[in-house]
Amino acid sequence: MISLQYPWALTTLLIPVCLFFILLYRQRPAVKISTVLPVTRTHPGKRRRKLSVLEICLLLSLVLLAVALARPRKPSGNRIIRGEGVDIILAIDMSQSMSCYDRPQGMSESKFAENISSGTLNNRLESAKNEIRRFIEARPNDRIGLIGFADLAYSFVPPTLDHALLLERLKSLAPGELGNATGIASPIGSAAKRLQNAPSPRRVLVLFTDGANTADNRLTPQAAALAAKEFNVIIHTVGIGSENSYAISYGRLLPVSGDLDTKLLQELSKITGGTFFAASDAGNMKQVMDEINALEKTDHREPQSNTYHEYAPSIALAAAILLLAGTVYTAIIRVHLP
């Protein structure tokens, strides 16, 4: 059904109506004669004159323009307005210890070794990457960035909606590429700098690590967290690993002791109003990522607005063509003789 967005604009129709009567009763050009008596006897009162083609075209054009100003339109469907997402940076520990395997509780050593050999069970980094990939795919409206860290932090992908690129870079991460130490302050500082001018009101850093802060950095993790707080960045920390962890050396599984600094990670989250999560194995990592996804859930019930087919441009174009046609007819086709 056609409706008018600005029905009050139809009051401009008074302009062509008034102009019509002005042109209709406009006094004709006169010539001097000795007496008007014969004329007055033959044609008493005011005389209406015949409108020219140009005048008719002008009046019709004004009528069409008045209708165009009222914005006639017809609903043609709904337009989805994308909701505003969250700016998130994922900082992943890439130290050599992330190549270790965590044995799930209740699993025998033989079954554990068998699952590693068959590829059913992944090391810490691969387990984290699998769940992070699922996390990214579940958040298409969010700008997500990727930082890897060990001795120092390296920004692989700034916050972006290009999740295909993000997943490709995530896939390439490997333990030991950035060193063997664990520097927790660097990724926090790098993420805070990246997020300080983010357009979203919600800015989040999720930091994954299996160790303590062992890198030689003049900036402490606590100082970096305070800087992140100044930029309204919330830090969620994920502590990876358990007491039943093993490294592979020359084809053999060797028990290793963990050095996860749970107290530090809890402190960093508390400073910025975030949450600490513990992921002792691949199953726990899945649960942790589900919790973070729910915690940082944006409203995806995206509002809809009607879209319309607008008739005003076509009507205005018709008015212009009509006026042009009248002008051409008067100036070129119709020849005035002196």
Side-chain angles (χ1 to χ4, degrees):
M1 181 177 179
I2 297 177
S3 61
L4 300 177
Q5 186 176 5
Y6 307 119
W8 53 264
L10 292 179
T11 57
T12 57
L13 285 171
L14 293 173
I15 296 175
V17 171
C18 293
L19 184 59
F20 169 74
F21 286 105
I22 291 173
L23 294 174
L24 190 63
Y25 292 103
R26 187 178 62 177
Q27 187 177 2
R28 292 175 175 229
V31 295
K32 290 183 179 181
I33 56 176
S34 59
T35 177
V36 296
L37 185 59
V39 178
T40 57
R41 286 177 180 174
T42 308
H43 305 284
K46 287 186 177 181
R47 291 194 58 194
R48 290 180 294 180
R49 56 183 292 272
K50 186 178 180 181
L51 298 180
S52 68
V53 173
L54 179 59
E55 289 169 340
I56 293 173
C57 290
L58 174 62
L59 291 172
L60 292 176
S61 297
L62 290 175
V63 171
L64 290 175
L65 287 175
V67 174
L69 284 174
R71 290 281 298 276
R73 58 184 188 169
K74 182 179 181 181
S76 60
N78 291 325
R79 175 172 59 92
I80 295 177
I81 303 173
R82 291 178 67 90
E84 189 176 47
V86 181
D87 280 285
I88 302 174
I89 287 184
L90 307 170
I92 305 174
D93 190 344
M94 293 175 60
S95 60
Q96 189 61 46
S97 60
M98 288 292 285
S99 63
C100 293
Y101 293 81
D102 293 291
R103 188 174 72 180
Q105 189 173 6
M107 181 179 288
S108 64
E109 285 193 31
S110 59
K111 184 66 174 178
F112 178 53
E114 180 183 337
N115 287 346
I116 293 176
S117 299
S118 64
T120 305
L121 191 65
N122 295 312
N123 63 32
R124 291 173 177 174
L125 183 57
E126 291 302 319
S127 296
K129 285 162 58 176
N130 287 339
E131 297 306 321
I132 289 171
R133 181 180 66 253
R134 194 169 57 88
F135 175 83
I136 293 171
E137 291 172 347
R139 307 184 70 91
N141 293 322
D142 297 329
R143 285 174 291 271
I144 304 178
L146 178 64
I147 291 176
F149 68 94
D151 295 353
L152 295 173
Y154 182 81
S155 180
F156 287 96
V157 182
T160 180
L161 288 171
D162 186 356
H163 291 179
L165 171 64
L166 183 66
L167 291 172
E168 189 65 28
R169 297 309 301 269
L170 175 69
K171 185 178 179 181
S172 67
L173 301 188
E177 282 189 340
L178 300 178
N180 294 322
T182 302
I184 295 177
S186 294
I188 295 176
S190 179
K193 187 175 181 180
R194 287 281 185 182
L195 293 172
Q196 63 176 323
N197 296 318
S200 300
R202 184 78 172 177
R203 306 162 185 177
V204 177
L205 165 64
V206 185
L207 186 141
F208 304 84
T209 183
D210 68 342
N213 185 56
T214 57
D216 185 14
N217 196 316
R218 286 180 294 180
L219 182 68
T220 65
Q222 292 86 344
L226 289 171
K229 183 181 179 181
E230 290 296 317
F231 297 137
N232 297 318
V233 176
I234 296 169
I235 301 175
H236 298 310
T237 54
V238 180
I240 300 174
S242 67
E243 296 299 325
N244 294 322
S245 56
Y246 297 80
I248 297 179
S249 177
Y250 299 104
R252 297 177 59 189
L253 286 172
L254 300 177
V256 294
S257 58
D259 59 350
L260 179 64
D261 193 342
T262 302
K263 184 178 179 180
L264 173 62
L265 297 182
Q266 291 173 335
E267 183 180 0
L268 298 179
S269 296
K270 185 177 180 180
I271 289 173
T272 60
T275 306
F276 166 75
F277 299 90
S280 59
D281 54 40
N284 289 141
M285 177 61 72
K286 181 181 184 302
Q287 182 180 352
V288 165
M289 296 311 297
D290 287 340
E291 289 181 18
I292 295 176
N293 188 42
L295 187 64
E296 296 299 336
K297 199 69 174 179
T298 52
D299 186 8
H300 293 306
R301 294 174 299 170
E302 298 168 329
Q304 294 183 340
S305 65
N306 288 330
T307 56
Y308 295 89
H309 177 73
E310 298 281 354
Y311 295 99
S314 300
I315 296 174
L317 178 61
I321 293 174
L322 188 61
L323 185 59
L324 179 62
T327 304
V328 170
Y329 175 83
T330 302
I332 300 176
I333 300 176
R334 183 178 178 185
V335 179
H336 292 273
L337 296 176

